[in-house]
Amino acid sequence: MLLLAVDTATPAVTAALHDGTNVVAESSRVDARRHGELLLPAVDRVLTEAGVGLDAVTAVVTGVGPGPYTGLRVGLVTAATFGSALGVPVYGLCTLDGIAYAAGRDAGLEGPFVVATDARRKEVYWARYDSPRARVEGPAVDRPADLADRVAGLPAVGAGALLYPDAFTTVLPGPEYVSAAALAALAADELAREAESGEPSAVFLPPQPLYLRRPDAQVPKNYKVVTPQ
């Protein structure tokens, strides 16, 4: 097994390789405006570090969001293209699940807790977890003030929680953004469970975007017709 994981749903442009047991290479760079420019070099970097070619990849994992429209689609289109070119499956994972998994694996957070990322427009993407692998509410997008009562007293991780301390009153040290390494490790665990149980994982999602709201760019309603009638 060699999983290639990518995610561009947050300001982190991230890629990783996982051999089914361990992460063998990873690359992450935070830059909210250069997803399209940075992702492919990140993939090339992890392949070079691992000493393998793209044709060694047996499956692709991609974060499906939620995330802003422009950045999110970069990772999804890239994953779909790799999957089609290599003839390998593409697995989707909720980006917030990747942050929750990393919070448990790397920060020792057990639950219950909340993950929140910046959705812009003074909103957050968020989900509630009973454990790092058990999402019980969300993903959703809301204004932090509207969430205050629902998340009161719950520890929180993620860049969205850091932005709105009045709503997320107990922010713990942990990942601000998703890492492809965490997504790859989560996917490897779920694939192992599938192989053992013979049942499909409920964690995997179709590799399609979770926008949760309409994009900022829209076609004008009363634009002027300039073509001949």
Side-chain angles (χ1 to χ4, degrees):
M1 176 188 293
L2 188 65
L3 303 177
L4 169 64
V6 297
D7 193 292
T8 57
T10 73
V13 182
T14 179
L17 288 170
H18 196 289
D19 65 4
T21 303
N22 296 298
V23 174
V24 294
E26 61 180 300
S27 173
S28 291
R29 181 169 174 179
V30 177
D31 192 325
R33 297 181 180 275
R34 300 174 65 203
H35 293 89
E37 181 179 344
L38 296 175
L39 182 57
L40 287 179
V43 171
D44 183 66
R45 194 154 46 246
V46 297
L47 290 169
T48 300
E49 182 180 335
V52 298
L54 186 59
D55 58 356
V57 170
T58 60
V60 180
V61 179
T62 179
V64 300
Y69 178 80
T70 303
L72 176 57
R73 62 182 178 174
V74 171
L76 284 159
V77 169
T78 301
T81 301
F82 283 149
S84 177
L86 297 172
V88 299
V90 179
Y91 298 98
L93 288 172
C94 176
T95 295
L96 301 180
D97 288 357
I99 297 175
Y101 184 80
R105 183 192 63 177
D106 301 333
L109 189 58
E110 296 182 355
F113 62 92
V114 176
V115 173
T117 59
D118 183 16
R120 304 175 187 171
R121 304 187 195 174
K122 298 182 179 180
E123 294 179 330
V124 292
Y125 298 117
W126 69 281
R128 184 168 61 89
Y129 295 81
D130 274 352
S131 74
R133 297 183 64 155
R135 173 162 38 93
V136 294
E137 187 176 5
V141 58
D142 287 289
R143 290 184 177 275
D146 296 336
L147 287 175
D149 291 341
R150 298 168 69 179
V151 302
L154 289 175
V157 296
L162 289 169
L163 283 173
Y164 301 100
D166 289 343
F168 302 96
T169 55
T170 308
V171 181
L172 298 182
E176 292 185 34
Y177 307 111
V178 72
S179 74
L183 287 176
L186 176 57
D189 282 354
E190 290 301 314
L191 289 171
R193 286 190 179 192
E194 283 189 346
E196 182 177 351
S197 68
E199 298 292 331
S201 169
V203 174
F204 290 127
L205 301 172
Q208 299 171 358
L210 287 175
Y211 292 131
L212 301 188
R213 66 185 183 199
R214 296 180 64 83
D216 293 326
Q218 298 183 27
V219 177
K221 293 182 178 179
N222 298 311
Y223 58 87
K224 182 179 179 181
V225 176
V226 296
T227 55
Q229 297 295 322

